[in-house]
Amino acid sequence: MSFSCGIECVVVLGCLRWAWKRCTYIGSYDSATWPPATCDDFESVPRVCRLILAVYESDLNNPQFLPPGGYRPNPDWLIKRVTYEQTNGRAPPYIIYIDHEHREIVLAIRGLNLVKESDYKLLLDNRLGMQMFDGGFVHHGLLKSAIWLLNQESETLKRLWVENGSDYNMVFAGHSLGSGVAALLTVIVVNHRDRLGGIPRSKVRCYAVAPARCMSLNLAVKYADVINSVILQDDFLPRTATPLEDIFKSIFCLPCLLFLVCLRDTFIPEGRKLRDQRRLYAPGRMYHIVERKFCRCGRFPPEVRTAIPVDGRFEHIVLSCHATSDHGIIWIEKEAGKALELMKESGGSTATTAPKVQRFERKQTLEKEHKDALERAVSLKVPHAVNSMEDDEEEEASHKDDETQEPPPSQSGESSTKTKPASGRTNWDEVVETLFHRSESGDLRLRKEAATAATAADEAPPQSQ
C-alpha cells in the first residue's frame, strides 16, 4: 500500500513539474544563448515588412491601412500588383517593387487570408513526406505556388535586373503563407540563376516573416545564407510542427489544439525529431525579436537575436495569450522598427571602427556561422545534411553550369533546349522536371533519390509532427 502511494506521489510530482515548466516557458528562452543581431544585418527587415503591408493596399497613393510613419515606398516605383482574381488561387497576391534608393528588386507576397478558400487549399495541399525536393522534403502546395509564380514573373524580374545594370539585389519576401512561397521560390532561383540573367547567389535574398514550416532541416540549414526568417517573441506558426491542416481545421479551438500538440511533442526525443527527414522546419537564419520577460507585465524595448540553429530550432510551442497576436505583420513591423532604432542609437554611441571594416568582418562572421551550422547538422546525423566543403563544391559546380552548360535533358530523352518554349520564356515547371521525376502517384521526386525514396518512408520514425 505504501509502495503504491509512493508511486502515485512520484507521478503527481512529475506531472506538476512538467506543467510548471510548460506553463512558465516563454518565447525568449528559444534564443537565450544567441548573439544580438547587428544594425547592418537587420536594417532591411522593417522596410520589407512595410512592402508586405503594401500588398494589402489597392492604391499606395490613397492608403487605407497606413502604419505609423507611413509605408514610405515610392508609389512610382511600384512595377506590378497582382490580385486574387489574377492568380486564380494559385498563389497569394503580391507586388513587384524596385527600390532605387537601396538598389533592390523586391517581390513581396501577402499572408494567409482567412476568408479565401484558395489560401486554405494551397496550405492544405500537403501530406507528411509527400514532396521530395533538392535532397530533402518541402511543402507540396507551397512548392507548386512558387513554380507558378516564377512562370508568371521570371521574365519581368530578369528584365528589371538587366535593365538596372545587373547590379541590384533580388529580394523575395513574404508573411505567413507567403513566406513559405517566397522561401521555396528562393531555393529554385538559387539553383537556376541563369534563368534570371545569371544573377550571383550573393545578390539573392529572402525574408520570411512569421514563417510557416516549409522545408526539412537539411534544406533549412543549407540555404541559411540566402533565407532569413523573422519571428516575433511567441509566434505559434514557426513552432507548430504538427501538419498545418490540423491547425486550420481546428482554428476555433486553437488554444486547446496547441496544448495537446505541446503535450505530445514534449515526449518525443530530440534525436528522433532530427532523424525524421519528413519533419518540416522554418527556413534559413533566424532573427528573433524579444520584447517580453517572465513574470513581467507589458512590452519592453525589443532586442533582436540571431543564429542558425540546428537542434532546438523553435521546437517548443509557447502557451501564451500572445501566440497568435505575435503572428500579425502589423505588430512585427512595429516592433522591428523599434528594435532597429535602438540598434542605431546604441551603435552610434559605441562605434569605434569604420563602417566598411565592420561590414567586411560581419560578412566573414556570417559565413563562418553558416559553415558551423552545416557541420553541426552533419554531426547530429541529420538526413542528407551536407558539410561546408560539399556545399562549396556544389556552389562552384552550379556556377560553372550556369556559365557553360545548358540544363540537363529530361528523363524521356528530350532535348534540354525544350525547357524554353519558342517564345523564349522560361517554363519553370519544365526546369523542375529536369531535376525530378514523377512517381506513380504523380508526386515529384528528386532523380538521385529515386532509388532510396521507397526506403526513406520505411526507415523514418512514425509521424512525429
Side-chain angles (χ1 to χ4, degrees):
M1 185 69 177
S2 60
F3 179 76
S4 61
C5 289
I7 294 296
E8 290 177 2
C9 290
V10 170
V11 172
V12 170
L13 289 173
C15 291
L16 290 175
R17 180 179 180 273
W18 174 86
W20 170 256
K21 292 183 69 175
R22 292 308 307 144
C23 292
T24 59
Y25 190 91
I26 60 176
S28 62
Y29 292 168
D30 287 313
S31 58
T33 60
W34 296 4
T38 65
C39 183
D40 287 342
D41 295 342
F42 197 71
E43 186 270 334
S44 299
V45 173
R47 184 172 70 252
V48 165
C49 289
R50 288 191 291 271
L51 282 172
I52 296 173
L53 277 169
V55 183
Y56 294 78
E57 299 284 357
S58 58
D59 184 5
L60 281 180
N61 290 304
N62 300 290
Q64 298 178 358
F65 312 102
L66 196 66
Y71 287 112
R72 302 173 208 172
N74 187 338
D76 296 333
W77 293 348
L78 181 66
I79 304 299
K80 188 174 185 180
R81 178 185 299 277
V82 179
T83 63
Y84 277 108
E85 290 73 19
Q86 294 168 295
T87 64
N88 293 319
R90 294 185 177 92
Y94 59 90
I95 63 172
I96 298 177
Y97 178 85
I98 183 164
D99 188 342
H100 294 291
E101 181 181 355
H102 298 94
R103 305 180 70 81
E104 293 177 344
I105 300 168
V106 184
L107 191 155
I109 310 171
R110 68 157 288 165
L112 177 74
N113 189 335
L114 293 176
V115 300
K116 281 292 182 179
E117 182 182 356
S118 60
D119 280 6
Y120 287 100
K121 288 182 178 179
L122 180 62
L123 189 65
L124 304 183
D125 184 13
N126 189 59
R127 297 189 306 273
L128 189 63
M130 177 181 183
Q131 181 64 72
M132 296 189 72
F133 186 87
D134 194 21
F137 285 89
V138 298
H139 189 284
H140 180 257
L142 297 180
L143 178 64
K144 286 174 56 180
S145 181
I147 295 173
W148 180 87
L149 202 155
L150 277 172
N151 278 330
Q152 298 298 310
E153 305 299 345
S154 60
E155 294 301 317
T156 301
L157 296 174
K158 178 180 178 180
R159 175 179 57 80
L160 291 173
W161 191 69
V162 173
E163 286 179 354
N164 288 277
S166 301
D167 188 47
Y168 280 30
N169 291 330
M170 189 75 66
V171 178
F172 303 105
H175 169 250
S176 187
L177 177 68
S179 69
V181 177
L184 295 179
L185 188 153
T186 303
V187 172
I188 300 173
V189 167
V190 164
N191 285 282
H192 299 283
R193 302 191 303 276
D194 57 318
R195 298 308 201 284
L196 290 183
I199 184 171
R201 180 173 178 141
S202 60
K203 289 188 175 296
V204 179
R205 284 290 178 271
C206 173
Y207 292 93
V209 182
R213 292 196 167 207
C214 60
M215 61 181 66
S216 55
L217 184 56
N218 64 316
L219 298 181
V221 176
K222 179 180 179 180
Y223 292 100
D225 60 324
V226 293
I227 302 178
N228 304 282
S229 289
V230 182
I231 300 169
L232 177 60
Q233 187 84 19
D234 300 335
D235 189 357
F236 78 95
L237 191 60
R239 296 177 168 90
T240 307
T242 189
L244 291 178
E245 57 264 30
D246 293 346
I247 293 293
F248 290 94
K249 286 177 183 176
S250 306
I251 191 69
F252 297 107
C253 193
L254 185 59
C256 299
L257 178 65
L258 292 180
F259 180 82
L260 294 176
V261 171
C262 175
L263 176 64
R264 185 194 65 188
D265 282 358
T266 299
F267 298 99
I268 300 176
E270 182 74 17
R272 181 177 171 183
K273 294 178 183 178
L274 293 173
R275 290 192 300 270
D276 187 358
Q277 59 182 331
R278 304 166 301 166
R279 188 179 180 87
L280 303 184
Y281 292 81
R285 169 179 288 275
M286 321 297 285
Y287 287 91
H288 193 201
I289 305 173
V290 177
E291 58 178 4
R292 289 185 295 273
K293 301 179 181 179
F294 180 62
C295 289
R296 304 285 291 275
C297 297
R299 296 175 184 263
F300 288 80
E303 62 176 1
V304 183
R305 306 166 185 166
T306 183
I308 308 175
V310 181
D311 44 341
R313 191 181 181 91
F314 284 85
E315 290 287 2
H316 301 289
I317 293 176
V318 179
L319 302 178
S320 165
C321 58
H322 300 282
T324 52
S325 62
D326 283 349
H327 186 67
I329 182 66
I330 295 178
W331 274 111
I332 296 173
E333 188 275 334
K334 182 178 180 181
E335 298 305 318
K338 288 182 181 178
L340 181 61
E341 290 301 321
L342 291 173
M343 289 181 194
K344 290 180 177 178
E345 291 176 5
S346 61
S349 60
T350 60
T352 58
T353 58
K356 290 185 178 180
V357 176
Q358 287 182 333
R359 284 195 292 268
F360 178 74
E361 292 177 351
R362 182 55 181 161
K363 181 178 179 181
Q364 289 183 319
T365 303
L366 294 176
E367 292 174 353
K368 185 179 184 303
E369 288 180 13
H370 187 214
K371 290 181 179 181
D372 290 344
L374 290 170
E375 292 170 1
R376 174 67 173 165
V378 172
S379 68
L380 291 173
K381 299 181 180 179
V382 174
H384 303 291
V386 296
N387 59 36
S388 57
M389 293 182 63
E390 292 175 347
D391 190 53
D392 291 341
E393 290 174 358
E394 289 180 4
E395 173 67 16
E396 291 177 4
S398 175
H399 180 69
K400 291 179 180 178
D401 289 343
D402 290 346
E403 292 181 344
T404 63
Q405 296 182 4
E406 291 293 326
S410 63
Q411 192 177 34
S412 60
E414 294 178 344
S415 170
S416 61
T417 57
K418 292 187 178 181
T419 57
K420 289 188 178 181
S423 63
R425 183 190 181 102
T426 299
N427 188 317
W428 289 89
D429 294 281
E430 295 179 3
V431 170
V432 173
E433 289 282 4
T434 63
L435 297 178
F436 304 89
H437 81 286
R438 290 195 178 275
S439 64
E440 294 180 358
S441 61
D443 299 337
L444 288 176
R445 293 188 180 275
L446 190 67
R447 293 195 186 282
K448 68 179 181 180
E449 299 292 338
T452 59
T455 59
D458 297 335
E459 294 176 355
Q463 291 190 2
S464 59
Q465 287 190 327

